[in-house]
Amino acid sequence: MSLRHYLQFNDFTKEEYQHLFSRAHWIKDKFKRYEAFTPLQDRTLAMIFEKHSTRTRVSFEAGMLQMGGTVINLSSRDTQLSRGEPIQDVARVITRMVDVVMIRTYEQTIIENFSAHSRVPVINGLTNEYHPCQILADIFTYIEHRGSIQGKTVAWIGDSNNVCNTWLQAAEVLDFNVHVSTPPGYEVEVERAGLYGDKHFKEFQDPMKAAEGADLITTDVWTSMGMEAENEERKRDFADWCVDREMLSVAKKDVLFMHCLPAHRGEEVTAEVIDGPHSVVWDEAENRLHVQKALLEFLLIPQSSTHSST
Ligand code: CP
Ligand code: NVA
């Protein structure tokens, strides 16, 4: 198998996602039974963080260690990157020494540039444009609770950010619909979202209309990392884009609520919703671990794509 990277959701096909979800289910089940699964002995993951993280850091590090591998965690401050070493030189050097790299950074072009000079698989741990590992976990969580997502409706309420863009790509790959509602001036940028143009999403000015009949309602912070200077302006602009009980009441009766976290209760979501019975945010966070183990296996052990899931 040739070298594969996971830089955006549409890097993989529907069939490959079916394989990943099935492997994640098998891996999670084994984990819950305290059975060892260590196919990555003597493999090393390097993680480069140019932004903060709780879930991505812990899930990749715990996952790699549980699979028998080792992890090197680098913040940009630790490396010569912060002193101007070209990203392509860093890529050439690091990827002669490790087996896989996970990067959390700013522009998508940085991770694309790194991967173009990499000898090993590169995983996007969040860029300004995309967060594919998050949506991998979110859809796995949806499947666990409700079965196939095909044909279902996801309502995205709030900022059309990296997580929103990734939902939109996922809708094209896995054939479901996304209803997006953002404040004026924050609408989806189709080109930046990397969409094929096969429209699986619809935009609504009124967030209540976007939520109508939804199978899943999801949101994210109003101000993403790197945009802190806009925080006060965004708090004013997004004030009516808070997921609350009233919004849930117009969705399907058994609607799920997701949030990639970290969350700001009282801003993009009320405490009543995120801590309420429709919310699956803790399963969603835990599933980062299981799906990323399946992803590491898929990228590092080529024959894993033909493994039986039973
Ligand atoms: N959802 C997510 O990626 O969380 P962290 O920023 O804590 O990694
Ligand atoms: N949109 C958020 C996601 C954090 C996991 C950000 O980029 O900060």
Side-chain angles (χ1 to χ4, degrees):
M1 196 174 85
S2 59
L3 181 60
R4 298 285 299 272
H5 303 295
Y6 192 48
L7 306 186
Q8 43 185 300
F9 199 90
N10 63 20
D11 282 342
F12 292 170
T13 63
K14 184 175 182 176
E15 290 67 36
E16 287 170 333
Y17 280 110
Q18 279 162 350
H19 166 76
L20 283 174
F21 293 139
S22 146
R23 288 301 292 164
H25 177 75
W26 184 88
I27 289 167
K28 180 172 181 176
D29 187 55
K30 235 175 144 49
F31 175 79
K32 296 290 179 187
R33 286 189 276 114
Y34 290 94
E35 287 177 15
F37 176 57
T38 56
L40 300 184
Q41 290 175 30
D42 76 23
R43 305 292 183 98
T44 304
L45 164 70
M47 303 196 289
I48 302 173
F49 283 100
E50 298 206 88
K51 292 176 178 170
H52 294 280
S53 169
T54 300
R55 281 142 289 269
T56 304
R57 163 83 199 270
V58 175
S59 55
F60 269 107
E61 185 155 345
M64 193 64 187
L65 296 177
Q66 287 162 15
M67 292 173 92
T70 50
V71 183
I72 299 171
N73 183 38
L74 299 163
S75 79
S76 46
R77 280 190 313 280
D78 302 327
T79 69
Q80 299 282 8
L81 271 175
S82 61
R83 298 181 63 249
E85 184 170 16
I87 190 88
Q88 50 272 45
D89 291 0
V90 174
R92 287 185 180 107
V93 172
I94 291 183
T95 67
R96 282 182 179 233
M97 301 178 187
V98 303
D99 302 281
V100 56
V101 179
M102 194 277 328
I103 306 179
R104 168 167 285 197
T105 186
Y106 292 90
E107 289 78 28
Q108 183 74 7
T109 49
I110 298 174
I111 200 166
E112 282 168 4
N113 196 0
F114 189 102
S115 62
H117 297 89
S118 173
R119 287 186 165 191
V120 303
V122 177
I123 298 171
N124 182 346
L126 180 145
T127 58
N128 291 349
E129 287 85 353
Y130 306 115
H131 197 0
C133 294
Q134 182 65 53
I135 304 308
L136 186 61
D138 291 7
I139 294 175
F140 179 68
T141 307
Y142 186 87
I143 294 168
E144 279 191 322
H145 284 268
R146 297 282 183 266
S148 171
I149 198 164
Q150 186 169 4
K152 296 290 182 348
T153 298
V154 175
W156 176 271
I157 309 296
D159 190 19
S160 64
N161 61 15
N162 40 14
V163 179
C164 174
N165 286 342
T166 312
W167 270 113
L168 296 174
Q169 280 200 352
E172 289 190 342
V173 178
L174 300 177
D175 189 24
F176 58 91
N177 309 303
V178 185
H179 288 180
V180 183
S181 181
T182 66
Y186 296 92
E187 291 87 356
V188 172
E189 293 171 53
V190 174
E191 210 167 296
R192 191 157 182 255
L195 304 178
Y196 296 122
D198 177 12
K199 262 202 148 189
H200 280 71
F201 81 98
K202 205 170 158 186
E203 293 194 275
F204 295 81
Q205 286 180 341
D206 179 354
M208 291 296 285
K209 291 275 172 222
E212 257 176 37
D215 297 281
L216 165 65
I217 297 183
T218 184
T219 186
D220 187 12
V221 291
W222 291 339
T223 305
S224 287
M225 290 180 280
M227 308 184 89
E228 288 78 4
E230 296 176 17
N231 197 25
E232 289 310 312
E233 187 186 346
R234 282 172 171 263
K235 275 189 182 170
R236 285 190 296 276
D237 292 347
F238 283 80
D240 293 334
W241 276 261
C242 173
V243 179
D244 57 13
R245 183 166 36 146
E246 199 191 343
M247 204 175 277
L248 254 55
S249 74
V250 301
K252 290 253 171 69
K253 236 183 156 58
D254 66 345
V255 65
L256 296 179
F257 173 76
M258 291 190 195
H259 189 312
C260 64
L261 306 176
H264 295 87
R265 288 169 176 76
E267 292 187 12
E268 72 274 6
V269 60
T270 61
E272 187 183 28
V273 166
I274 196 168
D275 299 319
H278 293 273
S279 173
V280 290
V281 296
W282 312 122
D283 289 346
E284 182 188 2
E286 178 193 325
N287 282 335
R288 292 288 302 277
L289 173 70
H290 308 302
V291 297
Q292 288 163 192
K293 284 163 106 173
L295 176 66
L296 288 166
E297 179 197 47
F298 180 76
L299 292 173
L300 290 176
I301 307 175
Q303 70 273 22
S304 78
S305 60
T306 57
H307 279 179
S308 157
S309 59
T310 53

